[in-house]
Amino acid sequence: MWRPAPGSLSPARCGKPICAVRLFDAGSGQPIPDLSEAQIRAAARRIYSGTGDIVAARLLTTAPLEMQARKPPYWQVEFDAWNRPTLYLSPQTGELISRRHALWRVFDFAWMLHIMDYDDRSDVNNPLLRVATWSALAMALAGAWLLLWSFPRRRKKA
């Protein structure tokens, strides 16, 4: 009897057992083609617990800014809901790669401002941040020095 490999996240697809390494049909050994848009929409509908309808499903070959850490290709499935939820699914297995929504995008914008990386939003050691850090430290030390030296010194009476 066929059993999934340990650590395999997707042991079956469309009722056929698969090998999770390169996606071959475990029965015939033939390569399994990528999922169609209809299959991706069905997988997204199963994963999404909200009530909104699917607005769009696109196979992306270039990564959008919010998915820069993941290498394409993957499917982007957008739903019609108040926070604009978006699911990113694997084209081979239909597994959920990531989910994004409007509140996450607001957090991502705030993170970009916080780390001062306006290009990739991921470099927490960029030159602008270093200059701002050292400038803030210098101002804090100068302020402490001014505070100490601004009070007159009391002299002991003899």
Side-chain angles (χ1 to χ4, degrees), residues 110-130:
W111 176 253
M112 172 195 71
L113 294 176
H114 175 69
I115 65 169
M116 300 168 63
D117 183 14
Y118 306 111
D119 295 328
D120 297 333
R121 299 181 181 186
S122 62
D123 185 9
V124 294
N125 197 21
N126 62 65
L128 180 60
L129 186 60
R130 284 193 229 160

Side-chain angles (χ1 to χ4, degrees), residues 44-65:
R45 190 73 252 160
R46 280 191 307 273
I47 293 169
Y48 183 63
S49 61
T51 58
D53 294 328
I54 294 176
V55 175
R58 292 182 285 280
L59 180 62
L60 301 179
T61 56
T62 57
L65 187 58

Side-chain angles (χ1 to χ4, degrees), residues 7-130:
S8 171
L9 296 177
S10 182
R13 185 178 97 175
C14 300
K16 296 179 182 177
I18 59 172
C19 178
V21 178
R22 286 204 53 196
L23 295 184
F24 289 93
D25 185 314
S28 68
Q30 297 298 317
I32 296 176
D34 287 349
L35 294 171
S36 67
E37 182 177 344
Q39 291 170 316
I40 287 293
R41 283 176 176 263
R45 190 73 252 160
R46 280 191 307 273
I47 293 169
Y48 183 63
S49 61
T51 58
D53 294 328
I54 294 176
V55 175
R58 292 182 285 280
L59 180 62
L60 301 179
T61 56
T62 57
L65 187 58
E66 64 188 22
M67 287 290 289
Q68 62 189 346
R70 310 283 181 144
K71 293 185 180 180
Y74 38 75
W75 283 91
Q76 178 189 52
V77 182
E78 295 181 36
F79 289 86
D80 183 25
W82 73 273
N83 62 352
R84 216 177 96 217
T86 304
L87 301 180
Y88 292 93
L89 304 172
S90 166
Q92 291 85 22
T93 64
E95 291 176 301
L96 179 66
I97 296 172
S98 185
R99 62 179 60 112
R100 299 288 185 255
H101 49 78
L103 296 176
W104 186 92
R105 292 175 183 104
V106 169
F107 169 80
D108 189 44
F109 180 75
W111 176 253
M112 172 195 71
L113 294 176
H114 175 69
I115 65 169
M116 300 168 63
D117 183 14
Y118 306 111
D119 295 328
D120 297 333
R121 299 181 181 186
S122 62
D123 185 9
V124 294
N125 197 21
N126 62 65
L128 180 60
L129 186 60
R130 284 193 229 160

